[in-house]
Amino acid sequence: MSQDNSLNELPTTAEDGGNITRRIVDQLGRAIVAGDYAQQPFPIEAELSERFSASRSVTREAIKMLTAKGLISSRPRHGTSVAPEGQWNFLDPDVLRWLLSRGLSLDLLAEFTAFRSAIEPQAAMLAIRRADRNALIAVEAAIEKMERVSPHDRTASLAADIDFHVSILLASGNRFMVQCRDLVETALRFSIQLTDLEKGVDFADIEAHRAIANAILAGDAARAVSATQDLLNEAAMLIERARKASG
């Protein structure tokens, strides 16, 4: 597979090392996930430094970050190579974003929705048990924001939808669930747009989201879990329908 020409698009002027590192990681990550190195060796450090007009230390830091994401591995006398996909860190928001960006993967979205089903209903229940006043106020503010946003403003509507789901994760107080925030936000940007397209609408089902919020604010754990699961079941059904339609 030919190498992605976008790898050569970094500016040659000096700028903050952290920003350069981030750009190198992003562009190499996209190239790896897209399969650009499936049939050719991964470049050595000196080559990458020259290509990106970056210092060795900046390039080395980018390599470390990609290694931490499971995308590449280094072995003595074997150099650096792209790791098998099964070793990639799918819980890393960057890796998930690159995977989804390479071509909408309905299989990946289906797996992600199953993952959401394992945590979001429990997060709603924990939010009730914890009953943190400020967190519940944030949930109420999030659903009210969804209701205020014009359905014709797709960007604002999507952001409000994501904020609502994140507010429940934060309200749970569970540190593992809270750390899923970036992962959920990343995948929802793809998932929500797909499910809305499948439903033939350009906006979220406000009533379904309001049902979740009302149950949480009323302290009704059973209803909160049920309403959350209903929403996720619909998303799973729509994704499955899209999978079948795609052949």
Side-chain angles (χ1 to χ4, degrees):
M1 185 176 295
S2 63
Q3 188 170 316
D4 187 348
N5 290 331
S6 66
L7 294 180
N8 296 306
E9 294 176 358
L10 287 182
T12 57
T13 56
E15 59 182 276
D16 178 71
N19 290 337
I20 297 177
T21 302
R22 183 66 242 175
R23 291 192 183 191
I24 295 174
V25 168
D26 188 67
Q27 294 196 37
L28 283 177
R30 288 178 183 275
I32 290 169
V33 168
D36 287 0
Y37 297 106
Q39 303 299 328
Q40 60 179 311
F42 192 77
I44 62 174
E45 182 182 300
E47 182 183 342
L48 290 173
S49 293
E50 181 178 358
R51 179 184 303 171
F52 291 111
S53 299
S55 67
R56 288 291 188 93
S57 61
V58 167
T59 303
R60 198 170 299 123
E61 181 62 25
I63 294 300
K64 287 181 181 178
M65 292 173 69
L66 290 168
T67 301
K69 295 176 186 296
L71 294 182
I72 58 176
S73 60
S74 299
R75 292 187 300 164
R77 295 188 298 277
H78 290 276
T80 302
S81 61
V82 174
E85 186 168 326
Q87 295 180 18
W88 299 352
N89 183 4
F90 286 84
L91 295 178
D92 185 293
D94 285 336
V95 175
L96 182 59
R97 175 169 54 85
W98 295 328
L99 283 165
L100 291 170
S101 295
R102 75 180 180 184
L104 189 58
S105 171
L106 296 174
D107 290 341
L108 195 63
L109 282 180
E111 291 182 44
F112 171 71
T113 303
F115 172 76
R116 289 179 62 199
S117 292
I119 63 169
E120 289 193 38
Q122 293 300 308
M125 182 176 67
L126 289 173
I128 292 171
R129 289 182 179 177
R130 182 176 174 229
D132 179 86
R133 182 174 180 274
N134 289 332
L136 294 179
I137 288 174
V139 171
E140 186 172 20
I143 188 61
E144 289 176 351
K145 180 180 179 181
M146 283 190 71
E147 292 170 334
R148 287 195 309 269
V149 170
S150 168
H152 302 295
D153 187 341
R154 188 64 188 127
T155 299
S157 179
L158 177 61
D161 196 342
I162 291 172
D163 287 347
F164 175 74
H165 290 282
V166 168
S167 74
I168 296 174
L169 291 178
L170 298 180
S172 75
N174 182 289
R175 285 171 286 185
F176 293 95
M177 292 180 178
V178 169
Q179 289 208 1
C180 288
R181 172 182 183 170
D182 291 343
L183 180 71
V184 169
E185 180 175 350
T186 296
L188 278 177
R189 293 192 178 279
F190 294 86
S191 180
I192 290 173
Q193 293 183 77
L194 171 71
T195 53
D196 284 355
L197 180 63
E198 280 296 309
K199 287 190 294 184
V201 299
D202 293 325
F203 49 86
D205 185 341
I206 301 297
E207 289 187 7
H209 289 76
R210 170 51 83 174
I212 298 171
N214 285 347
I216 292 175
L217 297 173
D220 189 334
R223 188 156 55 95
V225 169
S226 177
T228 303
Q229 193 60 62
D230 285 346
L231 188 68
L232 291 166
N233 287 344
E234 181 187 34
M237 180 272 292
L238 292 167
I239 292 169
E240 182 60 26
R241 190 170 77 186
R243 290 171 74 185
K244 289 180 179 178
S246 68

